[in-house]
Amino acid sequence: MTDDHKTTTVPVWTLATAEVHVPGLAAGDSMTAERLAELRGVLAVLADEPIVTLEVHPLPAGIERGRGIPLDAASPLAQHLSQFVTQSARSSMTVARATASGEGLYRMVVPAKVAAQLGQGVLRPMVAKGAAGGVHGALVNSAGRIVSQATFVPVGGAAAAGAVGGAGATAGAAVAGGTALTVAAPLVLMAVAVGVSAHADQKRRQAIEHITKLLEQLQEDKLDDEHSELDGCRDAIDKATAILLDQGKPGLSLGLDSAVHAINTALGKADRRLARWQGALDGLPEGKAVELSTLTKAFPGIDDHGGPFRAHLELASLAIALKRRVVVLQAVEHAQGDAGNPFENFTRALKRDQQRLYELESGIAGVLVRLSVLELARPNGLRPVFTTGEVERLLSAAHRIHQLGDGARVDSRTTDVAIEMARDKDGSVVVFPALPA
């Protein structure tokens, strides 16, 4: 984004989803990233309606577009963004200079308070491979940190993101008596919807990759059938996503109903497996070491990298990821049905339907944490000495079981969430998976 000898000027808009009163903000005064984070927190607390910030950064070279969802220039989100930028540039030289090339990386930050309203578990960090504690993001440098050589400049609220194609006619400046915030509910709705959908699809890709490797080792036809049926849902979901994001109506010919049935069936199997796992753990003697043979009866293959238990975990993860995409689609469709109140309808629909997924995901995480802290007992037998192979197997199994708790999330704490959008000169947009800000 920048280097150690150059400071980038980053315009920042404060966007509301409805008209709100907020304390006066000094437009045009530069601020640091830390100060901007404080501002977001204050606005989230004081405002009655969702408020987000939108920044525009230079587009990084070599950005990995394949992990995002591409939208052409005619799509509603791309049109909302283009219209917003054009109108804002007319009244701000800072914006005009920052957007003169036509391309940029737009970063919408949703405060934790607002993210929590979208439903528990829907926006969680996507852990990067090979970097402990790292996350995927387009604005990070080689060390995994957001580049700090930037001056953030608030932009006044004169711009208005007008409704395009009926996505919701809430656009304009906020009421007098405070800072004039830009009311841009359709822009916020579309950005959040696509960012959440991209996040869920990235989880799906990870699950598919893991399941494929596991099933190649297991060669179990029943699990392979489950995998194939779930993976076959992707085409219908992708088509429905494209249609809804273009504000169309998905018809029965897409096969979305069949896909939803297959996903719900898989979720039902995951619920039953979770109940069995929880019952098996409840039946273990409290505070005592457990024999590996006892554990493998309830959790087949838990001592191996590619056992059925781990395949069941990945199938549950895949079903949850696919269901999250479907829930987003349903929420978008519900919101677009009431053009006067799109974001609030979207939030309510998303939050209501996320609860079951959150409970399933948290239940599985709880099982993994409980398993990871179990102490394995030495095998019972008449022999006083065990072979080297038996000892190595026990140590290896203990290590693998203890690793089950790594990355398991059982808390519901929500952080600020960033949704990054790469805009090209032709007006097309790639929306990347939502990530912690």
Side-chain angles (χ1 to χ4, degrees):
M1 185 175 75
T2 186
D3 55 44
D4 294 337
H5 306 289
K6 182 179 178 181
T7 299
T8 302
T9 299
V10 178
V12 179
W13 296 270
T14 308
L15 308 182
T17 57
E19 293 186 349
V20 292
H21 287 281
V22 295
L25 302 175
D29 291 348
S30 63
M31 63 177 68
T32 63
E34 291 77 15
R35 176 62 178 159
L36 178 60
E38 293 175 359
L39 173 63
R40 282 195 295 262
V42 170
L43 290 175
V45 171
L46 295 180
D48 293 329
E49 299 292 339
I51 293 179
V52 304
T53 58
L54 180 67
E55 313 156 14
V56 56
H57 299 259
L59 190 62
I63 191 168
E64 189 184 345
R65 297 171 182 269
R67 62 188 179 85
I69 293 180
L71 301 171
D72 62 36
S75 65
L77 174 58
Q79 290 191 41
H80 283 306
L81 186 59
S82 294
Q83 183 177 352
F84 179 86
V85 171
T86 300
Q87 293 185 3
S88 187
R90 292 172 183 166
S91 58
S92 170
M93 285 302 298
T94 300
V95 175
R97 285 192 294 267
T99 60
S101 68
E103 61 181 15
L105 187 71
Y106 290 80
R107 193 170 198 256
M108 182 178 290
V109 179
V110 181
K113 175 185 175 182
V114 180
Q117 297 172 6
L118 298 174
Q120 291 175 307
V122 67
L123 294 174
R124 285 184 171 174
M126 180 69 66
V127 178
K129 292 182 179 180
V135 294
H136 289 287
L139 290 178
V140 297
N141 59 16
S142 59
R145 295 188 298 271
I146 292 178
V147 180
S148 60
Q149 298 295 322
T151 298
F152 297 88
V153 180
V155 180
V164 179
T170 49
V175 294
T179 296
L181 301 185
T182 301
V183 181
L187 177 59
V188 176
L189 164 66
M190 285 292 181
V192 171
V194 185
V196 172
S197 187
H199 177 86
D201 192 56
Q202 191 164 356
K203 296 287 286 185
R204 178 199 63 81
R205 294 180 195 178
Q206 284 187 345
I208 287 290
E209 180 182 341
H210 295 160
I211 291 171
T212 300
K213 293 179 180 178
L214 287 172
L215 295 183
E216 286 176 353
Q217 300 173 34
L218 285 173
Q219 296 182 341
E220 289 198 13
D221 291 339
K222 289 185 178 180
L223 292 181
D224 193 52
D225 289 343
E226 285 187 47
H227 170 223
S228 298
E229 191 168 7
L230 278 175
D231 197 27
C233 299
R234 179 193 172 189
D235 186 58
I237 294 174
D238 284 348
K239 289 178 181 176
T241 300
I243 290 174
L244 271 175
L245 293 180
D246 282 340
Q247 295 169 1
K249 293 287 185 181
L252 293 176
S253 61
L254 290 180
L256 190 59
D257 288 347
S258 299
V260 171
H261 175 73
I263 294 168
N264 288 341
T265 299
L267 289 174
K269 292 180 180 178
D271 281 327
R272 291 190 294 274
R273 286 165 180 160
L274 174 59
R276 289 200 299 268
W277 297 337
Q278 290 171 330
L281 286 170
D282 291 341
L284 296 178
E286 188 174 353
K288 294 183 179 180
V290 181
E291 283 194 39
L292 182 59
S293 59
T294 301
L295 208 55
T296 54
K297 287 180 181 178
F299 305 91
I302 193 175
D303 57 332
D304 193 4
H305 281 302
F309 172 65
R310 296 174 191 270
H312 291 157
L313 290 176
E314 295 299 340
L315 285 168
S317 178
L318 175 58
I320 290 171
L322 290 170
K323 184 64 174 180
R324 286 204 194 284
R325 287 201 69 184
V326 170
V327 169
V328 172
L329 294 179
Q330 293 169 337
V332 170
E333 186 174 26
H334 181 69
Q336 290 179 345
D338 183 357
N341 191 21
F343 193 78
E344 286 73 14
N345 283 340
F346 173 76
T347 300
R348 282 195 294 270
L350 195 59
K351 185 176 182 179
R352 180 180 62 248
D353 292 333
Q354 287 292 339
Q355 188 59 35
R356 179 194 176 189
L357 298 180
Y358 171 74
E359 291 174 355
L360 175 58
E361 202 169 36
S362 296
I364 292 173
V367 166
L368 295 179
V369 170
R370 291 174 67 182
L371 285 169
S372 69
V373 298
L374 289 177
E375 178 185 355
L376 292 184
R378 56 184 291 174
N380 288 325
L382 298 177
R383 292 178 299 155
V385 179
F386 298 96
T387 66
T388 303
E390 289 173 328
V391 172
E392 289 180 350
R393 185 194 173 208
L394 185 62
L395 291 175
S396 178
H399 177 68
R400 290 188 180 122
I401 292 170
H402 291 160
Q403 283 184 319
L404 289 172
D406 295 346
R409 297 182 177 277
V410 293
D411 62 82
S412 58
R413 289 177 295 177
T414 307
T415 63
D416 290 357
V417 172
I419 297 165
E420 295 172 354
M421 300 170 281
R423 182 174 183 263
D424 290 320
K425 292 180 181 180
D426 63 358
S428 62
V429 175
V430 176
V431 184
F432 298 101
L435 63 138

